[in-house]
Amino acid sequence: MSGIRRVSVTCVLLISTFAAAEESTVLLQALQDELARSIEGLELEDVVKPHFIGYTVHTDRSITVNASKGGIENVNNDKSRRLEVEMRVGSRTLDNSNYMSRNFRNQRVNRTLALEDDYGLLRKQIWLATDNAYKDSIETYAAKEAAMKNSQQETTLDFSTEEPNVFIDERRSQKLDFVDVRNFARELSEVGQDEAFIYDSDVVAFTNQHTDTYLNSEGSHFTRRDDTAWIRVTAWSQSDDGRYVSDFLYIVGRAWKDIADLPKVKREVTAMHERLKATREAEPLDRYNGPVLFTGQAAAELAGQVLARNLINYKKPVFENDSVAAMFNRAMLVSTLKERLGARVLPRSWNVYDDPTQTTYKGIDLVGHYPVDSDGLLTRRVNLVENGILKMLLSDRNPSEDIQNSTASNATGAGPSVSNLFIEGTDGLSDDELTQLLLDIVEENGEEFGVRIDRAANPFVQISGVPSPYLGSQIGQAIPAISAYKVYPNGDEELVRHAVVRGNLLREMRNLPGYSSNISVHNSNYMFQGGDVSAFSGNVPVFVSIITPDILIEDASLSYMEGVVRSLPIVPHPHTN
Amino acid sequence: MHKSIQHCQRLAVFSALLFSVGVINAERLEDRNVLSAMAQELERSMSVLAEQPDPPFYISYEITDNSRAYVSTSFGEVTRSSESGGTFYDVDLRVGNPQMDNTHLANRRPFPRVAYGSLASQAGIRNYLWLLTDRSFKQASEQLVNVRTRSETQIDTDGPAFDLAPAVEVAHSEPKRSIQFAHTQWEKRLQRASNVFNGHPKLLSGNAQASVVKNVRYFVNSEGSRIQSDELMYTIVLSASTKADDGSNLNLSKLFHSRKPSDLPSNRELTRTADELVTMLIDLRNAPNIEPYTGPAILSGRAAGVLFHEILGHRLEGHRLKQTNDAQTFKDKINQRVLPESMSVVFDPALEKFGDTDLLGTYAFDNEGVAGQKVRVIEDGILKRFLLGRSTLADEGFRESNGHGRKAVGLSSVARQSNLLVEVEDPYTPSQLEEQMISILKERDLEYGLYFDDIVGGFTITQRSLPNAFTVRPVIVYKVYQDGSRELVRGVDLIGTPLAVFDSVIAAADDMAVFNGQCGAESGNVPVSAISPSILVGQVEVQRASQSRAILPILPPPGS
């Protein structure tokens, strides 16, 4: 926890005492003064008053570079500062949050702020944003109240009670160099550029220095560095039957310099291209039902796409009417585990917890780390599953019937999410033992072979020009494999392509025949939905670390991936001439 | 205390953004090598695809290399500072024949298909084009099947019109223009300009923005044309807003465009303009709303320019005259009078400046490889010509493009406007024009007429299924009384139908003014200009403008 200072306070007046050297005292003063004035005086006759105001100022310095074939395709080098207002009118029992109408939109008011600290101007900008937020909120409150009266919709408490905190993040951002990032992306995109089997490839390098400055009417205040960086390399081709084959490399970190090891990344890209070439030439997988061993990154995707999204506390919104409920209910993700709190959902030997306080695991950086969540709550380890029994779901300050308080899991301000998800088991097997167990099940079932998946798709990684491998499938209900092998009892292995795992994998995870004692760490992005729907602003990717063993599923269904089939290019690749 | 913090932070911001747009694409090939790679891949594609049952009879490749920089300030402080850029690839591939190809009777690519690529190597360029060509060919082949089927079931009114009229082979290369945009200097200039808005507590926003956009365009086609163009435009926008007591949001802005930074307004001019915006906004806050009205009006040059753009220009875009769902207002009016004899209308993409103002609708070659030609659409009040891209009309005289096939990146070209110029013989002076309106007021015993001084834009509907109307959005409007006095009013839109308005145009003045803007239509946003004198219209109609009903901010401004 070095470099981070925690202080709990009960009085907002103490805030300035803890300001770190880099913190903008002018910005903070402007936020404080406008907050005090608004909470005191912002009201209209016979209309509900604010019971809570939260200000978050997002300051970004971001660089995005797209490169391919040794050149730059697209760049963006930007600096911005934005105020987000969380305005709650009414009371904790009933406020304007979590209401979904036909004209649904994100109700958080956002306003661009001056990059520089001009107290008078900041006050003015905060004042106008607060005024807009209040007017929007009282209209929403009235509509929500009317909808509840008309439809007898029940709702739980709308806002949890939490202790205020002050937190100053003393970590410093690394210096960003646009030319450095640009050159990195360009050089990386040279790898494989002469390979005719690669139809197209793309490198995206992204780095962002992000600082949140937060202040709310309960006395919480924090500054938080939330720097992110990632490198994404994609490549695609077509197999002889016209199916698209693609692969990707996705390196995620908290600082550009931590991930931008060019020789190392080049090697990884070369390996990715080799995988792509092999996959392109592999035979497609026929229908398969039987044991599947998820290893490494594929195990993390299984945990991330199937388990993690079900560990979120989803609060049911109040709908304007039945037709709105019908329209949006289908689109909303709902935790299928929510009804199983207190019941066994995973192997008895498993403990699962989320711990955003951890920065590393066995020397490997964890990207899911954050010291304080976007509601100003100090993060802590949250035990989710103990001995296979579901104990808790991750929540923000929007309570549901079962979970009344936040677990400080509002990582990005878009609702609760997983951060560093640890899956630990006490009965792990060695790699050889786990493979043998796979083959034992194969033999027991009288199957010809079992399947091992080393790499799987990630829903966040879209490849331009290539249909999504999730086409025709719901996220969480299907995992498209990128590297899958038939594993024969004699030890032979055969790469197959276009396999997608379907079925109720979450249920299968309850009774696993085995998992590895080896634990691996995977940093990636996932998207979650939960919390206050009024603050939902689309699919906000969250940086997540998944620390998981390899996982053997006893009975999974694999089928040929649905999707678009195109005839092969009529004109040969230019490199073949 | 605040000053010192401000200063330190400003230094930090500047050091982080001492960039140059030039570094975005520093490794790009020389122009001739870009064009050569495009031509090689085009020839290869034409050659191999010639063996297909329905081979392409035409392919064009267009690459647009875009760079931009942007600075925004508000009330004297920087709010955004950015640079960006991208290289976009476009392919236009036709199968069938020039009279009936895969685009025949069809809406072409309604949504942009943006394909990025780089310009680092010839092999890379050919790789992108190879993929896009393959995709385009397969798509075009599917479209052609649909076209042929449709031609069996629908009456084709196009006759001998071309879907892709022949064009001559051209070679054109423009000198390179370099971007001169130092963020630090621009930040300082704009801070100074937007600082003018401070000290006016009624203003809810007060911004000064600057941007530069550079587009290097490479075009090759199977007719042998090779074009490289280089467009550069600097823009400054001053804008401010306030809210009237009745809830109306009032916004004013002033834009400056120039190809050279040295031709942009000086700091003093910017400050003066910002001051004028403030004064006008305060006057507008206190101005009364006007009731719906019909009667005579004078439209200033900028307002008239937009009016001509909306009600005339869009209806002269040739491809619309082939669309059966279009109202085709002017299709059968060739050689008929549509305006007073003293008025002519010209579209001239070669016109770079009007007076001291750089024009946005200027280009040497359109997006179909045809030289932009001066088109006198109305001569002495008589309709003579239409704007044409390579999708032409059946009638003799309209079967060749006049270089107005334009589009935004990722979309398909259609006929679009360039620089619209209204010419008037024996014009009045502005005061004579006003006198004439006053005499009409007296004749008709009307209390007042209207003077539309400035507008923000407008739109028009040309389909048959909807009322064939236009709306022009004025921001500065005066009532002009019989005694010549003026009263500022607000809250109206100028509406009408095209032919009725043209019938009502009485006279024009000699005070030419320029409206530069972006025109959005089915082929995306393209830059255009409209140059017109003030005109007197005998009968206009205004309706109440849409208006916010939100009350004024509940709390008083901070510090008040």
Side-chain angles (χ1 to χ4, degrees), chain A residues 73-91:
Chain A
E73 290 184 330
N74 194 26
V75 296
N76 192 50
N77 186 10
D78 204 355
K79 186 172 173 70
S80 65
R81 184 146 78 165
R82 174 174 60 89
L83 168 69
E84 184 180 351
V85 182
E86 181 179 5
M87 172 71 68
R88 287 174 180 260
V89 300
S91 68

Side-chain angles (χ1 to χ4, degrees), chain A residues 24-26 34 37-38 41-44 61 68-81 111-119 121 123-125 127-128 131 134-135 178-179 182-183 186 193 198-200 236 465 566-575 577, chain B residues 2 5-6 9-10 13 16-17 19 23-27 41 44-45 48-49 52 74-75 77-87 116-121 123-124 126-128 130-131 134-135 137-138 142 191 200-201 203-204 551-559:
Chain A
S24 162
T25 53
V26 175
E34 204 50 40
R37 192 169 78 113
S38 299
L42 198 55
E43 66 176 308
L44 290 169
R61 161 91 177 89
S68 74
K69 317 269 180 221
I72 303 300
E73 290 184 330
N74 194 26
V75 296
N76 192 50
N77 186 10
D78 204 355
K79 186 172 173 70
S80 65
R81 184 146 78 165
R111 189 179 175 99
T112 301
L113 294 185
L115 291 172
E116 299 165 38
D117 287 339
D118 179 322
Y119 174 81
L121 177 55
R123 279 289 300 273
K124 182 167 191 160
Q125 291 170 324
W127 162 60
L128 290 172
D131 186 76
Y134 178 62
K135 288 168 183 166
F178 171 71
V179 175
R182 187 189 68 95
N183 288 346
R186 187 184 55 74
Q193 64 174 328
I198 300 172
Y199 286 9
D200 199 6
W236 67 274
R566 290 263 181 229
S567 55
L568 294 173
I570 297 162
V571 179
H573 192 288
H575 293 182
N577 273 23
Chain B
H2 297 160
I5 291 169
Q6 201 171 332
Q9 295 217 339
R10 191 172 297 161
V13 172
L17 282 170
F19 87 101
V23 301
I24 290 174
N25 228 341
E27 294 79 15
E41 192 56 28
R44 193 175 76 103
S45 297
V48 177
L49 292 173
Q52 295 296 305
S74 175
F75 291 105
E77 298 294 352
V78 178
T79 53
R80 191 140 207 174
S81 200
S82 68
E83 60 179 325
S84 60
T87 307
Y116 288 110
S118 65
L119 291 173
S121 68
R126 294 184 64 176
N127 195 141
Y128 304 124
W130 163 67
L131 272 181
D134 187 71
R135 195 170 297 171
F137 176 72
K138 287 167 182 165
E142 284 177 26
Q191 282 179 297
H200 300 282
L203 292 190
L204 300 181
I551 59 172
L552 293 170
I554 296 162
L555 295 175

